[in-house]
């Protein structure tokens, strides 16, 4: 079985402080299937530093560009 | 059944724990606990269960609040002296977390009412102060198949044990001989330091949370004894007894039947 659903979700967490932004990210990932991608918008500064770090620590694949953090659910 | 914004904020510091999850939080919210006794163990146990977001708590206690209770029963404050413990616990737990439904039972748990009081609970937290009540709670939980957290404190020490009836040792398996009445001194006679109740009651809340969410490994078949004087914890292995009058006849499920946490 290699047909992981490619569907992705977007989550705008600008204005949401730490650690509530990671709580929401985590719950969104929990509701997704492995291989699905969550695209998150975050405030710069602490949110852009800590949410990707937390996601990596839990074993998800994380890619970042200027505007988004893309997390592939493990 | 999703978590509200207020719940996400209230529980955010546990929702970020790697061991926890939204599913664990929802399992906790859909669970009901019966807390037997609102004293030295029951106050911290009920406090942390309510704070963590358990769905329902029943508090069974028929005592009034006395000045001599306050050093170890932190839900009961000086202006509450003379009130009823079960009802005061409901009020204070409601202040702490209005999302939790708290029901007071100002009654003494006895042979005649034990099954009616405990039926329907997802977990029972025995914070009673007598061996007779403890054995009755254990036997009733075995009959009804309800997971149970037992504990006791005296002086500077205490112990705690989690029980999955039919799967792990019950209180009667671990302590088959009930001490004769009067052979073990009570809190009134031997005294107790309030903080020891806080340690063991908090552990009871932790165990109850583990039992209903599947997070972590409960203290089943293991008695944790804590000597406060030296801060020395000891874990003592225990096991089911085939001839146990409380749980010996219960069917042992297959070893794979234990609930496992769902990982994120």
């Amino acid at each position: 079985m290699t047909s992981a659903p490619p569907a992705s979700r977007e989550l705008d967490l600008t204005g949401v402080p730490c650690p509530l932004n990671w709580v929401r990210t985590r719950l969104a990932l929990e509701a997704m299937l492995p291989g699905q991608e969550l695209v998150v918008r975050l405030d710069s500064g602490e949110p852009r530093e800590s949410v990707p770090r937390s996601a990596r620590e839990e074993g998800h694949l994380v890619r970042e560009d200027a505007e988004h953090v893309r997390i592939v659910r493990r | 059944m999703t978590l509200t914004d207020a719940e996400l904020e209230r529980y955010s510091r546990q929702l970020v724990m790697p061991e926890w999850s939204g599913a664990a939080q929802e399992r906790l919210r859909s669970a009901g606990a019966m807390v037997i006794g609102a004293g030295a163990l029951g106050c911290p146990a009920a406090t942390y269960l309510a704070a963590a977001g358990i769905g329902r708590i029943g508090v069974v206690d028929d005592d009034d609040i006395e000045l001599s209770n306050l050093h170890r029963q932190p839900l009961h404050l000086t202006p509450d002296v003379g009130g009823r413990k079960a009802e005061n616990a409901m009020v204070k737990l409601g202040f702490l977390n209005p999302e939790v439904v708290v029901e007071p039972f100002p009654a003494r748990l006895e042979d005649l009412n034990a099954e009616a009081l405990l039926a329907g609970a997802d977990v029972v937290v025995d914070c009673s102060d007598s061996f007779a009540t403890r054995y009755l709670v254990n036997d009733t939980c075995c009959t009804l198949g309800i997971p149970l957290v037992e504990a006791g404190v005296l002086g500077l020490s205490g112990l705690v044990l989690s029980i999955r009836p039919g799967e792990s040792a019950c209180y009667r398996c671990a302590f088959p001989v009930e001490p004769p009445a009067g052979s073990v001194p009570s809190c009134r006679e031997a005294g107790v330091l309030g903080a020891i109740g806080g340690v063991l009651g908090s552990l009871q809340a932790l165990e109850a949370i583990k039992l209903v969410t599947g997070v972590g490994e409960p203290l089943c078949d293991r008695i944790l004894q804590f000597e406060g004087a030296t801060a020395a914890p000891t874990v003592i292995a225990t096991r089911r007894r085939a001839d146990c009058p409380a749980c010996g006849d219960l069917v042992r499920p297959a070893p794979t039947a234990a609930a496992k946490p769902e990982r994120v």
Side-chain angles (χ1 to χ4, degrees), chain A residues 19 23-24 26-27 30 58 74, chain B residues 5 15 17-18 20 22-23 264:
Chain A
V23 169
R24 290 188 175 282
R26 231 181 146 229
L27 293 180
E30 192 179 331
E58 294 213 340
R74 76 177 166 90
Chain B
D5 285 358
L15 284 168
M17 293 192 305
W20 202 252
V264 177

Side-chain angles (χ1 to χ4, degrees), chain B:
Chain B
M1 198 172 76
T2 52
L3 299 164
T4 65
D5 285 358
E7 285 174 304
L8 291 191
E9 183 158 0
R10 179 182 287 272
Y11 308 123
S12 59
R13 299 308 191 271
Q14 65 197 36
L15 284 168
V16 296
M17 293 192 305
E19 300 84 355
W20 202 252
S21 62
Q25 190 69 50
E26 288 180 9
R27 283 195 292 272
L28 187 62
R29 186 176 63 180
S30 64
M34 283 300 282
V35 177
I36 313 304
L41 293 167
C43 284
T47 296
Y48 283 111
L49 287 172
I54 199 163
R56 302 173 310 282
I57 300 178
V59 180
V60 183
D61 200 314
D62 72 336
D63 277 347
D64 293 340
I65 302 163
E66 299 176 16
L67 189 59
S68 63
N69 299 148
L70 305 191
H71 82 117
R72 67 186 186 283
Q73 303 183 13
L75 281 175
H76 310 310
L77 311 182
T78 304
D80 304 320
V81 170
R84 307 212 82 170
K85 287 187 183 177
E87 276 142 22
N88 182 56
M90 176 189 69
V91 171
K92 296 304 192 306
L93 295 170
F95 289 154
L96 172 60
N97 190 349
E99 314 263 6
V100 180
V101 177
V102 185
E103 197 174 351
F105 296 92
R108 187 148 194 90
L109 193 105
E110 293 169 327
D111 287 342
L112 283 174
N113 64 11
E115 282 200 24
L117 280 169
L118 302 187
D122 296 296
V123 65
V124 171
V125 186
D126 189 358
C127 303
S128 64
D129 57 359
S130 82
F131 285 102
T133 305
R134 219 167 268 142
Y135 282 98
L136 174 59
V137 170
N138 175 74
D139 296 353
T140 307
C141 284
C142 288
T143 301
L144 299 175
I146 303 172
L148 165 66
V149 186
E150 276 292 345
V153 286
L154 198 66
L156 279 168
S157 61
L159 58 80
V160 59
L161 165 71
S162 290
I163 296 154
R164 282 200 175 106
E167 283 181 52
S168 72
C170 79
Y171 187 73
R172 209 177 270 285
C173 294
F175 303 100
V177 181
E178 191 169 345
S183 65
V184 176
S186 67
C187 270
R188 189 191 298 262
E189 297 152 1
V192 63
L193 197 66
I196 274 292
V199 170
L200 274 298
S202 301
L203 280 171
Q204 284 185 285
L206 175 62
E207 289 299 307
I209 289 167
K210 292 194 291 185
L211 284 167
V212 298
T213 61
V215 170
E217 297 282 338
L219 275 165
C220 291
D221 288 328
R222 296 177 294 151
I223 300 164
L224 174 61
Q225 189 176 350
F226 182 74
E227 292 293 343
T230 52
T234 311
V235 176
I236 303 151
T238 184
R239 55 190 292 191
R240 290 188 71 191
R241 291 171 187 262
D243 62 348
C244 175
C247 76
D249 290 340
L250 299 179
V251 178
R252 288 161 198 259
T256 52
K260 276 292 172 194
E262 295 163 27
R263 293 308 305 248
V264 177

